[in-house]
Amino acid sequence: MRSLFSIFLFLAFLLLGGAEVIPKLISLSQQDGTHVAFVIGAPEVDAKKTGQGFSAERKEELLKALGKNNLKYR
Amino acid sequence: MLKVEKILVLFIPLILVLAWLGGENRISATKSAQLSNISAQIKKLKPLGEGLYQARAADTTEDLYLAVGSSPSYGGPLEVAVVVGQDKGVRQVAVLKSRDTSSYMERVLGLGTPGAFIGRMIDDLPEVDTVSGATLSSVALIRSIESAAARIGTSRFGLPQQPEPEVTTTPELSKLVLITLLFGAALWGTSRSCRVNRRKFRALLLVCSVVTLGFWFGSQFSIATLALLLDGDWLHGVASYAALLCLLLAVVSFLLTGKNLFCSMLCPFGAVQEGLGKITGCSAPLRYRWMTWLARTWVVTLLAAGLYYHAPAAIMYEPFGKAFTFIGSGVVYALTILVVIASLVVKRPWCFLFCPATSLFAYLTAVRRLFGDAGIKQAQLQKSEPKEIHAS
């Protein structure tokens, strides 16, 4: 039983660790060194070149917190 | 020592060096290209001096000034660009480079710290509060913006040069002194000269460590700290050297004495797990050989990725931040909950199964063996390290 639980825990740690890190690494792999991590005050900014490096899930919360539509974030 | 182990001890640093060099080659674009990406409004960018540029607004043909400012933050220098119009008004603020853990930066950006500067005159910048829970990142962001605005103000608008803000070093120094004292106490606690009850002394030290390294300083070292150390960017300044010092003292004390002082006597997260395990009196989990090697491969792969992308914070996955400072993503939250629950069933599950520090000290043990350290004492190692159980 302890053996099964140990295996389960190890795989769960690996899975969750991977879920945390791999999206960030994929995002980094798509950058070419000229990206901008975050911009405010640029309504027409090209989203493809900005905001990478931060998780996408915060986009809506950020827009809400800032109360502005002039933020491109992903 | 196995032949394959000897090869790996030499091969792993080679992989990491190649990854770092590969990352250096990868960054081929210029700063101008990056600044042009701040806004489609920025056209005809030309340098005026160090960290200072002039551009033309695309639709109004107004002259714009761009300046780059930087300040040491938690994970290394934080770099910011500020765009200012002819009326001295701040048009855009862009974070060009941040090596801080994304959860902390998201907190700072989410609370609108850079937004407070938009539309303000550079000779009348607002006093922006720091963000609780991400103080170092928010201070670095504010100072970077102020530094960039001051660069434009003095060189283009003849504003008087502002004195550099005083850097308060006392809290940082006291942190470093306290960490050194904790390691000194741990070393004394494992020495022959220690006459006090060792179990009680260890328990006291672990409690002190949870309070100071865990909740107070938030300076438990992680895989990101190791990547930061190897990457070398900390030489350009970081806001806090506490985690780096922890890592250095842990490695140096291990190499010199063979004692894993950090994991056995000081690790706050280990202490929390152990405390929970005491409630149920559980025993350590089984760790099969394939788990050991998979965990080690995982650590080396992540370190190589962190060095290749020059982004140490991106490879952090440990639940320390969530456990002690309550900052982290949903995935890290799930991981923290899992570790807490599992700690009631098996002893120190994270330490035994997946902590990168375990792989680090296994590597350092192999290094000591390879370089013929006659003074290594296996008995000391077994005493000071959490005992691993290897099932075949």
Side-chain angles (χ1 to χ4, degrees), chain A residues 40 68, chain B residues 80 82-84 88-93 112-122 124-129 138 141-147 149:
Chain A
I40 183 162
K68 295 177 181 181
Chain B
V80 162
V82 171
V83 183
V84 172
K88 299 186 205 168
V90 176
R91 302 291 163 81
Q92 282 120 23
V93 172
T113 303
F117 292 90
I118 300 294
R120 298 296 292 261
M121 300 295 123
I122 54 172
D124 182 32
L125 290 178
E127 293 281 330
V128 181
D129 290 336
S138 58
L141 180 62
I142 293 164
R143 283 191 180 154
S144 301
I145 294 170
E146 289 172 345
S147 155

PDB file of all heavy atoms in Angstrom, chain A residues 40 68, chain B residues 80 82-84 88-93 112-122 124-129 138 141-147 149:
ATOM      1  N   ILE A  40       1.929  48.863 -20.760  1.00  0.00           N
ATOM      2  CA  ILE A  40       0.686  49.564 -20.449  1.00  0.00           C
ATOM      3  C   ILE A  40       0.737  50.925 -21.133  1.00  0.00           C
ATOM      4  O   ILE A  40       1.793  51.568 -21.193  1.00  0.00           O
ATOM      5  CB  ILE A  40       0.453  49.682 -18.927  1.00  0.00           C
ATOM      6  CG1 ILE A  40      -0.888  50.354 -18.663  1.00  0.00           C
ATOM      7  CG2 ILE A  40       1.574  50.387 -18.207  1.00  0.00           C
ATOM      8  CD1 ILE A  40      -1.410  50.137 -17.283  1.00  0.00           C
ATOM      9  N   LYS A  68      -8.866  49.325 -17.553  1.00  0.00           N
ATOM     10  CA  LYS A  68      -8.559  49.962 -18.829  1.00  0.00           C
ATOM     11  C   LYS A  68      -8.598  48.916 -19.935  1.00  0.00           C
ATOM     12  O   LYS A  68      -8.456  47.726 -19.682  1.00  0.00           O
ATOM     13  CB  LYS A  68      -7.165  50.579 -18.788  1.00  0.00           C
ATOM     14  CG  LYS A  68      -7.057  51.704 -17.791  1.00  0.00           C
ATOM     15  CD  LYS A  68      -5.651  52.238 -17.736  1.00  0.00           C
ATOM     16  CE  LYS A  68      -5.588  53.356 -16.711  1.00  0.00           C
ATOM     17  NZ  LYS A  68      -4.282  53.942 -16.617  1.00  0.00           N
TER      18      LYS A  68
ATOM     19  N   VAL B  80      13.107  48.234 -17.337  1.00  0.00           N
ATOM     20  CA  VAL B  80      11.851  48.890 -17.723  1.00  0.00           C
ATOM     21  C   VAL B  80      12.153  49.964 -18.762  1.00  0.00           C
ATOM     22  O   VAL B  80      13.218  50.588 -18.723  1.00  0.00           O
ATOM     23  CB  VAL B  80      11.207  49.527 -16.459  1.00  0.00           C
ATOM     24  CG1 VAL B  80      10.177  50.553 -16.815  1.00  0.00           C
ATOM     25  CG2 VAL B  80      10.585  48.470 -15.580  1.00  0.00           C
ATOM     26  N   VAL B  82      10.452  53.527 -20.466  1.00  0.00           N
ATOM     27  CA  VAL B  82       9.410  54.534 -20.304  1.00  0.00           C
ATOM     28  C   VAL B  82       9.382  55.395 -21.567  1.00  0.00           C
ATOM     29  O   VAL B  82      10.440  55.808 -22.069  1.00  0.00           O
ATOM     30  CB  VAL B  82       9.686  55.404 -19.053  1.00  0.00           C
ATOM     31  CG1 VAL B  82       8.739  56.596 -18.997  1.00  0.00           C
ATOM     32  CG2 VAL B  82       9.529  54.578 -17.789  1.00  0.00           C
ATOM     33  N   VAL B  83       8.183  55.620 -22.111  1.00  0.00           N
ATOM     34  CA  VAL B  83       8.017  56.455 -23.302  1.00  0.00           C
ATOM     35  C   VAL B  83       7.390  57.777 -22.861  1.00  0.00           C
ATOM     36  O   VAL B  83       6.355  57.787 -22.185  1.00  0.00           O
ATOM     37  CB  VAL B  83       7.114  55.756 -24.345  1.00  0.00           C
ATOM     38  CG1 VAL B  83       7.013  56.607 -25.614  1.00  0.00           C
ATOM     39  CG2 VAL B  83       7.651  54.373 -24.674  1.00  0.00           C
ATOM     40  N   VAL B  84       8.037  58.884 -23.238  1.00  0.00           N
ATOM     41  CA  VAL B  84       7.585  60.212 -22.808  1.00  0.00           C
ATOM     42  C   VAL B  84       7.395  61.098 -24.039  1.00  0.00           C
ATOM     43  O   VAL B  84       8.209  61.056 -24.977  1.00  0.00           O
ATOM     44  CB  VAL B  84       8.634  60.830 -21.837  1.00  0.00           C
ATOM     45  CG1 VAL B  84       8.296  62.279 -21.513  1.00  0.00           C
ATOM     46  CG2 VAL B  84       8.712  60.014 -20.558  1.00  0.00           C
ATOM     47  N   LYS B  88       6.217  66.178 -21.698  1.00  0.00           N
ATOM     48  CA  LYS B  88       6.793  65.526 -20.507  1.00  0.00           C
ATOM     49  C   LYS B  88       5.853  64.473 -19.905  1.00  0.00           C
ATOM     50  O   LYS B  88       6.075  64.002 -18.793  1.00  0.00           O
ATOM     51  CB  LYS B  88       7.141  66.543 -19.406  1.00  0.00           C
ATOM     52  CG  LYS B  88       8.162  67.583 -19.780  1.00  0.00           C
ATOM     53  CD  LYS B  88       8.499  68.401 -18.537  1.00  0.00           C
ATOM     54  CE  LYS B  88       8.996  69.775 -18.924  1.00  0.00           C
ATOM     55  NZ  LYS B  88       9.050  70.680 -17.766  1.00  0.00           N
ATOM     56  N   GLY B  89       4.781  64.149 -20.622  1.00  0.00           N
ATOM     57  CA  GLY B  89       3.824  63.170 -20.102  1.00  0.00           C
ATOM     58  C   GLY B  89       4.272  61.744 -20.414  1.00  0.00           C
ATOM     59  O   GLY B  89       4.760  61.457 -21.508  1.00  0.00           O
ATOM     60  N   VAL B  90       4.075  60.865 -19.442  1.00  0.00           N
ATOM     61  CA  VAL B  90       4.441  59.457 -19.632  1.00  0.00           C
ATOM     62  C   VAL B  90       3.364  58.798 -20.496  1.00  0.00           C
ATOM     63  O   VAL B  90       2.189  58.822 -20.150  1.00  0.00           O
ATOM     64  CB  VAL B  90       4.565  58.727 -18.266  1.00  0.00           C
ATOM     65  CG1 VAL B  90       4.838  57.244 -18.472  1.00  0.00           C
ATOM     66  CG2 VAL B  90       5.669  59.356 -17.430  1.00  0.00           C
ATOM     67  N   ARG B  91       3.766  58.242 -21.635  1.00  0.00           N
ATOM     68  CA  ARG B  91       2.803  57.610 -22.552  1.00  0.00           C
ATOM     69  C   ARG B  91       2.693  56.101 -22.311  1.00  0.00           C
ATOM     70  O   ARG B  91       1.616  55.551 -22.282  1.00  0.00           O
ATOM     71  CB  ARG B  91       3.225  57.844 -24.013  1.00  0.00           C
ATOM     72  CG  ARG B  91       3.340  59.289 -24.391  1.00  0.00           C
ATOM     73  CD  ARG B  91       1.964  59.942 -24.421  1.00  0.00           C
ATOM     74  NE  ARG B  91       2.068  61.389 -24.380  1.00  0.00           N
ATOM     75  CZ  ARG B  91       2.337  62.164 -25.419  1.00  0.00           C
ATOM     76  NH1 ARG B  91       2.508  61.634 -26.600  1.00  0.00           N
ATOM     77  NH2 ARG B  91       2.432  63.475 -25.270  1.00  0.00           N
ATOM     78  N   GLN B  92       3.852  55.473 -22.220  1.00  0.00           N
ATOM     79  CA  GLN B  92       3.840  54.028 -22.042  1.00  0.00           C
ATOM     80  C   GLN B  92       4.907  53.604 -21.041  1.00  0.00           C
ATOM     81  O   GLN B  92       5.949  54.246 -20.922  1.00  0.00           O
ATOM     82  CB  GLN B  92       4.128  53.305 -23.371  1.00  0.00           C
ATOM     83  CG  GLN B  92       2.963  53.231 -24.322  1.00  0.00           C
ATOM     84  CD  GLN B  92       3.247  53.897 -25.645  1.00  0.00           C
ATOM     85  OE1 GLN B  92       4.405  54.043 -26.043  1.00  0.00           O
ATOM     86  NE2 GLN B  92       2.209  54.327 -26.334  1.00  0.00           N
ATOM     87  N   VAL B  93       4.618  52.526 -20.367  1.00  0.00           N
ATOM     88  CA  VAL B  93       5.597  51.891 -19.480  1.00  0.00           C
ATOM     89  C   VAL B  93       5.651  50.424 -19.883  1.00  0.00           C
ATOM     90  O   VAL B  93       4.613  49.774 -20.022  1.00  0.00           O
ATOM     91  CB  VAL B  93       5.185  52.011 -17.990  1.00  0.00           C
ATOM     92  CG1 VAL B  93       6.109  51.178 -17.114  1.00  0.00           C
ATOM     93  CG2 VAL B  93       5.200  53.461 -17.537  1.00  0.00           C
ATOM     94  N   GLY B 112      -1.783  47.287 -10.575  1.00  0.00           N
ATOM     95  CA  GLY B 112      -1.740  48.538 -11.332  1.00  0.00           C
ATOM     96  C   GLY B 112      -0.574  49.450 -11.017  1.00  0.00           C
ATOM     97  O   GLY B 112      -0.664  50.660 -11.244  1.00  0.00           O
ATOM     98  N   THR B 113       0.535  48.901 -10.505  1.00  0.00           N
ATOM     99  CA  THR B 113       1.688  49.748 -10.172  1.00  0.00           C
ATOM    100  C   THR B 113       2.175  50.572 -11.361  1.00  0.00           C
ATOM    101  O   THR B 113       2.313  51.797 -11.242  1.00  0.00           O
ATOM    102  CB  THR B 113       2.831  48.892  -9.584  1.00  0.00           C
ATOM    103  OG1 THR B 113       2.311  48.200  -8.449  1.00  0.00           O
ATOM    104  CG2 THR B 113       4.018  49.748  -9.164  1.00  0.00           C
ATOM    105  N   PRO B 114       2.420  49.971 -12.551  1.00  0.00           N
ATOM    106  CA  PRO B 114       2.890  50.813 -13.653  1.00  0.00           C
ATOM    107  C   PRO B 114       1.819  51.761 -14.174  1.00  0.00           C
ATOM    108  O   PRO B 114       2.126  52.856 -14.653  1.00  0.00           O
ATOM    109  CB  PRO B 114       3.311  49.802 -14.731  1.00  0.00           C
ATOM    110  CG  PRO B 114       2.588  48.560 -14.400  1.00  0.00           C
ATOM    111  CD  PRO B 114       2.364  48.552 -12.937  1.00  0.00           C
ATOM    112  N   GLY B 115       0.540  51.356 -14.050  1.00  0.00           N
ATOM    113  CA  GLY B 115      -0.565  52.184 -14.545  1.00  0.00           C
ATOM    114  C   GLY B 115      -0.630  53.543 -13.860  1.00  0.00           C
ATOM    115  O   GLY B 115      -1.102  54.525 -14.455  1.00  0.00           O
ATOM    116  N   ALA B 116      -0.141  53.611 -12.617  1.00  0.00           N
ATOM    117  CA  ALA B 116      -0.189  54.870 -11.863  1.00  0.00           C
ATOM    118  C   ALA B 116       0.675  55.954 -12.511  1.00  0.00           C
ATOM    119  O   ALA B 116       0.487  57.143 -12.244  1.00  0.00           O
ATOM    120  CB  ALA B 116       0.270  54.617 -10.434  1.00  0.00           C
ATOM    121  N   PHE B 117       1.619  55.551 -13.343  1.00  0.00           N
ATOM    122  CA  PHE B 117       2.545  56.525 -13.947  1.00  0.00           C
ATOM    123  C   PHE B 117       2.036  57.065 -15.285  1.00  0.00           C
ATOM    124  O   PHE B 117       2.505  58.092 -15.749  1.00  0.00           O
ATOM    125  CB  PHE B 117       3.925  55.885 -14.161  1.00  0.00           C
ATOM    126  CG  PHE B 117       4.643  55.580 -12.872  1.00  0.00           C
ATOM    127  CD1 PHE B 117       4.482  54.358 -12.241  1.00  0.00           C
ATOM    128  CD2 PHE B 117       5.471  56.524 -12.284  1.00  0.00           C
ATOM    129  CE1 PHE B 117       5.142  54.081 -11.048  1.00  0.00           C
ATOM    130  CE2 PHE B 117       6.132  56.263 -11.099  1.00  0.00           C
ATOM    131  CZ  PHE B 117       5.962  55.036 -10.470  1.00  0.00           C
ATOM    132  N   ILE B 118       1.096  56.338 -15.912  1.00  0.00           N
ATOM    133  CA  ILE B 118       0.609  56.734 -17.241  1.00  0.00           C
ATOM    134  C   ILE B 118      -0.102  58.091 -17.163  1.00  0.00           C
ATOM    135  O   ILE B 118      -0.968  58.304 -16.312  1.00  0.00           O
ATOM    136  CB  ILE B 118      -0.343  55.662 -17.824  1.00  0.00           C
ATOM    137  CG1 ILE B 118       0.382  54.322 -17.959  1.00  0.00           C
ATOM    138  CG2 ILE B 118      -0.928  56.096 -19.171  1.00  0.00           C
ATOM    139  CD1 ILE B 118       1.510  54.290 -18.948  1.00  0.00           C
ATOM    140  N   GLY B 119       0.278  59.001 -18.051  1.00  0.00           N
ATOM    141  CA  GLY B 119      -0.350  60.314 -18.105  1.00  0.00           C
ATOM    142  C   GLY B 119       0.257  61.336 -17.157  1.00  0.00           C
ATOM    143  O   GLY B 119      -0.062  62.523 -17.235  1.00  0.00           O
ATOM    144  N   ARG B 120       1.127  60.905 -16.252  1.00  0.00           N
ATOM    145  CA  ARG B 120       1.740  61.841 -15.301  1.00  0.00           C
ATOM    146  C   ARG B 120       2.961  62.506 -15.936  1.00  0.00           C
ATOM    147  O   ARG B 120       3.624  61.950 -16.801  1.00  0.00           O
ATOM    148  CB  ARG B 120       2.164  61.106 -14.022  1.00  0.00           C
ATOM    149  CG  ARG B 120       0.993  60.484 -13.280  1.00  0.00           C
ATOM    150  CD  ARG B 120       0.024  61.529 -12.769  1.00  0.00           C
ATOM    151  NE  ARG B 120       0.606  62.339 -11.700  1.00  0.00           N
ATOM    152  CZ  ARG B 120       0.401  62.146 -10.406  1.00  0.00           C
ATOM    153  NH1 ARG B 120      -0.406  61.177 -10.015  1.00  0.00           N
ATOM    154  NH2 ARG B 120       0.953  62.930  -9.504  1.00  0.00           N
ATOM    155  N   MET B 121       3.272  63.725 -15.481  1.00  0.00           N
ATOM    156  CA  MET B 121       4.448  64.448 -15.970  1.00  0.00           C
ATOM    157  C   MET B 121       5.699  63.883 -15.281  1.00  0.00           C
ATOM    158  O   MET B 121       5.643  63.519 -14.094  1.00  0.00           O
ATOM    159  CB  MET B 121       4.344  65.950 -15.655  1.00  0.00           C
ATOM    160  CG  MET B 121       3.134  66.629 -16.268  1.00  0.00           C
ATOM    161  SD  MET B 121       3.213  66.638 -18.070  1.00  0.00           S
ATOM    162  CE  MET B 121       1.689  65.809 -18.467  1.00  0.00           C
ATOM    163  N   ILE B 122       6.806  63.862 -15.999  1.00  0.00           N
ATOM    164  CA  ILE B 122       8.006  63.252 -15.392  1.00  0.00           C
ATOM    165  C   ILE B 122       8.592  64.105 -14.266  1.00  0.00           C
ATOM    166  O   ILE B 122       9.393  63.627 -13.481  1.00  0.00           O
ATOM    167  CB  ILE B 122       9.105  62.959 -16.446  1.00  0.00           C
ATOM    168  CG1 ILE B 122       9.440  64.203 -17.256  1.00  0.00           C
ATOM    169  CG2 ILE B 122       8.721  61.824 -17.330  1.00  0.00           C
ATOM    170  CD1 ILE B 122      10.639  63.995 -18.165  1.00  0.00           C
ATOM    171  N   ASP B 124       6.583  65.334 -12.074  1.00  0.00           N
ATOM    172  CA  ASP B 124       5.545  65.234 -11.037  1.00  0.00           C
ATOM    173  C   ASP B 124       5.049  63.784 -10.966  1.00  0.00           C
ATOM    174  O   ASP B 124       3.861  63.506 -11.085  1.00  0.00           O
ATOM    175  CB  ASP B 124       4.393  66.195 -11.382  1.00  0.00           C
ATOM    176  CG  ASP B 124       3.302  66.168 -10.309  1.00  0.00           C
ATOM    177  OD1 ASP B 124       3.653  65.960  -9.135  1.00  0.00           O
ATOM    178  OD2 ASP B 124       2.115  66.331 -10.654  1.00  0.00           O
ATOM    179  N   LEU B 125       6.000  62.883 -10.774  1.00  0.00           N
ATOM    180  CA  LEU B 125       5.622  61.462 -10.728  1.00  0.00           C
ATOM    181  C   LEU B 125       4.940  61.141  -9.399  1.00  0.00           C
ATOM    182  O   LEU B 125       5.262  61.738  -8.367  1.00  0.00           O
ATOM    183  CB  LEU B 125       6.867  60.583 -10.911  1.00  0.00           C
ATOM    184  CG  LEU B 125       7.493  60.599 -12.298  1.00  0.00           C
ATOM    185  CD1 LEU B 125       8.746  59.725 -12.325  1.00  0.00           C
ATOM    186  CD2 LEU B 125       6.518  60.114 -13.370  1.00  0.00           C
ATOM    187  N   PRO B 126       3.984  60.203  -9.433  1.00  0.00           N
ATOM    188  CA  PRO B 126       3.248  59.904  -8.189  1.00  0.00           C
ATOM    189  C   PRO B 126       4.087  59.103  -7.188  1.00  0.00           C
ATOM    190  O   PRO B 126       5.036  58.411  -7.578  1.00  0.00           O
ATOM    191  CB  PRO B 126       2.070  59.067  -8.685  1.00  0.00           C
ATOM    192  CG  PRO B 126       2.577  58.407  -9.919  1.00  0.00           C
ATOM    193  CD  PRO B 126       3.533  59.367 -10.555  1.00  0.00           C
ATOM    194  N   GLU B 127       3.710  59.207  -5.934  1.00  0.00           N
ATOM    195  CA  GLU B 127       4.293  58.347  -4.895  1.00  0.00           C
ATOM    196  C   GLU B 127       3.480  57.062  -4.901  1.00  0.00           C
ATOM    197  O   GLU B 127       2.310  57.064  -4.513  1.00  0.00           O
ATOM    198  CB  GLU B 127       4.187  59.011  -3.525  1.00  0.00           C
ATOM    199  CG  GLU B 127       5.031  60.265  -3.351  1.00  0.00           C
ATOM    200  CD  GLU B 127       6.486  59.949  -3.083  1.00  0.00           C
ATOM    201  OE1 GLU B 127       6.753  58.888  -2.494  1.00  0.00           O
ATOM    202  OE2 GLU B 127       7.346  60.752  -3.493  1.00  0.00           O
ATOM    203  N   VAL B 128       4.060  56.017  -5.388  1.00  0.00           N
ATOM    204  CA  VAL B 128       3.304  54.761  -5.515  1.00  0.00           C
ATOM    205  C   VAL B 128       3.672  53.827  -4.365  1.00  0.00           C
ATOM    206  O   VAL B 128       4.855  53.630  -4.066  1.00  0.00           O
ATOM    207  CB  VAL B 128       3.605  54.081  -6.873  1.00  0.00           C
ATOM    208  CG1 VAL B 128       2.798  52.791  -7.023  1.00  0.00           C
ATOM    209  CG2 VAL B 128       3.275  55.029  -8.012  1.00  0.00           C
ATOM    210  N   ASP B 129       2.644  53.260  -3.738  1.00  0.00           N
ATOM    211  CA  ASP B 129       2.888  52.338  -2.625  1.00  0.00           C
ATOM    212  C   ASP B 129       3.471  51.032  -3.140  1.00  0.00           C
ATOM    213  O   ASP B 129       3.139  50.576  -4.233  1.00  0.00           O
ATOM    214  CB  ASP B 129       1.579  52.027  -1.891  1.00  0.00           C
ATOM    215  CG  ASP B 129       1.080  53.244  -1.128  1.00  0.00           C
ATOM    216  OD1 ASP B 129       1.918  54.101  -0.796  1.00  0.00           O
ATOM    217  OD2 ASP B 129      -0.137  53.332  -0.896  1.00  0.00           O
ATOM    218  N   SER B 138       8.011  45.118  -6.431  1.00  0.00           N
ATOM    219  CA  SER B 138       7.332  46.401  -6.655  1.00  0.00           C
ATOM    220  C   SER B 138       8.296  47.568  -6.462  1.00  0.00           C
ATOM    221  O   SER B 138       8.263  48.533  -7.222  1.00  0.00           O
ATOM    222  CB  SER B 138       6.107  46.540  -5.751  1.00  0.00           C
ATOM    223  OG  SER B 138       6.458  46.429  -4.401  1.00  0.00           O
ATOM    224  N   LEU B 141      10.375  47.776  -9.556  1.00  0.00           N
ATOM    225  CA  LEU B 141       9.617  48.317 -10.689  1.00  0.00           C
ATOM    226  C   LEU B 141       9.496  49.842 -10.573  1.00  0.00           C
ATOM    227  O   LEU B 141       9.744  50.570 -11.544  1.00  0.00           O
ATOM    228  CB  LEU B 141       8.232  47.664 -10.753  1.00  0.00           C
ATOM    229  CG  LEU B 141       7.327  48.128 -11.889  1.00  0.00           C
ATOM    230  CD1 LEU B 141       7.941  47.795 -13.241  1.00  0.00           C
ATOM    231  CD2 LEU B 141       5.950  47.494 -11.789  1.00  0.00           C
ATOM    232  N   ILE B 142       9.139  50.307  -9.389  1.00  0.00           N
ATOM    233  CA  ILE B 142       8.967  51.759  -9.191  1.00  0.00           C
ATOM    234  C   ILE B 142      10.299  52.481  -9.408  1.00  0.00           C
ATOM    235  O   ILE B 142      10.358  53.502 -10.100  1.00  0.00           O
ATOM    236  CB  ILE B 142       8.402  52.033  -7.768  1.00  0.00           C
ATOM    237  CG1 ILE B 142       6.967  51.492  -7.665  1.00  0.00           C
ATOM    238  CG2 ILE B 142       8.433  53.517  -7.442  1.00  0.00           C
ATOM    239  CD1 ILE B 142       6.466  51.355  -6.237  1.00  0.00           C
ATOM    240  N   ARG B 143      11.370  51.937  -8.837  1.00  0.00           N
ATOM    241  CA  ARG B 143      12.685  52.583  -8.992  1.00  0.00           C
ATOM    242  C   ARG B 143      13.155  52.576 -10.444  1.00  0.00           C
ATOM    243  O   ARG B 143      13.780  53.523 -10.906  1.00  0.00           O
ATOM    244  CB  ARG B 143      13.724  51.888  -8.108  1.00  0.00           C
ATOM    245  CG  ARG B 143      13.577  52.298  -6.661  1.00  0.00           C
ATOM    246  CD  ARG B 143      14.746  51.848  -5.832  1.00  0.00           C
ATOM    247  NE  ARG B 143      14.575  52.263  -4.451  1.00  0.00           N
ATOM    248  CZ  ARG B 143      15.106  51.656  -3.416  1.00  0.00           C
ATOM    249  NH1 ARG B 143      15.856  50.593  -3.609  1.00  0.00           N
ATOM    250  NH2 ARG B 143      14.917  52.102  -2.199  1.00  0.00           N
ATOM    251  N   SER B 144      12.848  51.504 -11.154  1.00  0.00           N
ATOM    252  CA  SER B 144      13.249  51.421 -12.561  1.00  0.00           C
ATOM    253  C   SER B 144      12.526  52.488 -13.382  1.00  0.00           C
ATOM    254  O   SER B 144      13.131  53.149 -14.237  1.00  0.00           O
ATOM    255  CB  SER B 144      12.927  50.044 -13.139  1.00  0.00           C
ATOM    256  OG  SER B 144      13.575  49.053 -12.416  1.00  0.00           O
ATOM    257  N   ILE B 145      11.220  52.650 -13.126  1.00  0.00           N
ATOM    258  CA  ILE B 145      10.437  53.650 -13.861  1.00  0.00           C
ATOM    259  C   ILE B 145      10.971  55.052 -13.540  1.00  0.00           C
ATOM    260  O   ILE B 145      11.182  55.880 -14.432  1.00  0.00           O
ATOM    261  CB  ILE B 145       8.930  53.532 -13.510  1.00  0.00           C
ATOM    262  CG1 ILE B 145       8.364  52.201 -14.008  1.00  0.00           C
ATOM    263  CG2 ILE B 145       8.137  54.696 -14.110  1.00  0.00           C
ATOM    264  CD1 ILE B 145       6.958  51.874 -13.517  1.00  0.00           C
ATOM    265  N   GLU B 146      11.204  55.304 -12.252  1.00  0.00           N
ATOM    266  CA  GLU B 146      11.707  56.625 -11.848  1.00  0.00           C
ATOM    267  C   GLU B 146      13.077  56.897 -12.459  1.00  0.00           C
ATOM    268  O   GLU B 146      13.369  58.018 -12.889  1.00  0.00           O
ATOM    269  CB  GLU B 146      11.777  56.700 -10.316  1.00  0.00           C
ATOM    270  CG  GLU B 146      10.401  56.774  -9.672  1.00  0.00           C
ATOM    271  CD  GLU B 146      10.424  56.652  -8.151  1.00  0.00           C
ATOM    272  OE1 GLU B 146      11.468  56.233  -7.607  1.00  0.00           O
ATOM    273  OE2 GLU B 146       9.401  56.951  -7.525  1.00  0.00           O
ATOM    274  N   SER B 147      13.903  55.865 -12.502  1.00  0.00           N
ATOM    275  CA  SER B 147      15.249  56.018 -13.061  1.00  0.00           C
ATOM    276  C   SER B 147      15.184  56.348 -14.562  1.00  0.00           C
ATOM    277  O   SER B 147      15.898  57.225 -15.061  1.00  0.00           O
ATOM    278  CB  SER B 147      16.029  54.731 -12.812  1.00  0.00           C
ATOM    279  OG  SER B 147      17.045  54.570 -13.736  1.00  0.00           O
ATOM    280  N   ALA B 149      12.586  57.693 -16.177  1.00  0.00           N
ATOM    281  CA  ALA B 149      11.991  59.032 -16.342  1.00  0.00           C
ATOM    282  C   ALA B 149      13.015  60.118 -16.034  1.00  0.00           C
ATOM    283  O   ALA B 149      13.088  61.145 -16.729  1.00  0.00           O
ATOM    284  CB  ALA B 149      10.778  59.169 -15.423  1.00  0.00           C
TER     285      ALA B 149
END
